[in-house]
Amino acid sequence: QCAARIPEAGALLDLLKKCPEHQEKGDFPVVVFEGLDATGKTTVTQSVKDTLNGFLLRSPPACISHWRAIFDDEPAPIKRAFYAAGNYILASEIAKASTQAPVIVDRYWHSTAAYTIATEIKGNVQDLPPAHDEVYQWPEDLLKPDLVL
């Protein structure tokens, strides 16, 4: 619905439609690095990628990262939809790359979930969703990594 106002939303959905519905990981390991901004994730992921002679992928994926500033200026639900779509596009890239070499990922679903929770509680820790809330559950249709650090 927002494609008329945000043309990039239509292009994002077109990319998402090209992703296989069920991504399957290849035989090589997939390792995700999560953390706060400016904590060394880029340095560590590059080093691990070089050491393992693998692929380095980032969230949001390169094919949509140039739209990040556009969606970051939108209301929270639209911004969350952008990053959620990015996770599925990234999963497709992970599935393909993991058939050829180890895959190192700089942020993934965990960052999206943390952002969603943070924006919903508006800074009040007592407003966190209960421990069993679905916001903490890995989406069943999203490719899982082998290890998250």
Side-chain angles (χ1 to χ4, degrees):
Q1 291 177 340
C2 66
R5 190 170 65 79
I6 310 167
E8 294 82 1
L12 177 66
L13 290 174
D14 289 343
L15 284 171
L16 194 56
K17 288 176 189 172
K18 293 178 184 175
C19 295
E21 197 167 313
H22 301 285
Q23 301 100 356
E24 292 193 26
K25 193 179 86 51
D27 292 333
F28 288 92
V30 175
V31 180
V32 174
F33 286 81
E34 291 285 358
L36 299 172
D37 290 346
T39 57
K41 288 182 308 307
T42 299
T43 302
V44 169
T45 55
Q46 184 65 48
S47 177
V48 172
K49 187 252 330 159
D50 291 345
T51 300
L52 297 177
N53 196 27
F55 289 98
L56 175 58
L57 300 174
R58 301 184 193 288
S59 180
C63 63
I64 66 167
S65 64
H66 57 285
W67 295 329
R68 187 176 184 173
I70 294 165
F71 286 92
D72 279 351
D73 285 340
E74 293 298 324
I78 294 173
K79 189 184 320 185
R80 285 195 304 266
F82 169 76
Y83 286 99
N87 284 330
Y88 286 90
I89 294 167
L90 182 57
S92 182
E93 293 177 1
I94 291 168
K96 182 178 177 183
S98 67
T99 64
Q100 302 170 44
V103 181
I104 309 306
V105 186
D106 187 339
R107 293 197 170 157
Y108 193 32
W109 174 83
H110 310 85
S111 289
T112 306
Y115 173 80
T116 299
I117 294 164
T119 57
E120 291 299 315
I121 66 167
K122 298 174 181 39
N124 299 316
V125 174
Q126 65 271 18
D127 294 334
L128 281 171
H132 62 277
D133 194 279
E134 69 179 15
V135 74
Y136 302 118
Q137 305 305 312
W138 190 272
E140 290 181 21
D141 60 345
L142 185 63
L143 184 139
K144 285 185 181 180
D146 294 295
L147 178 66
V148 178
L149 303 167

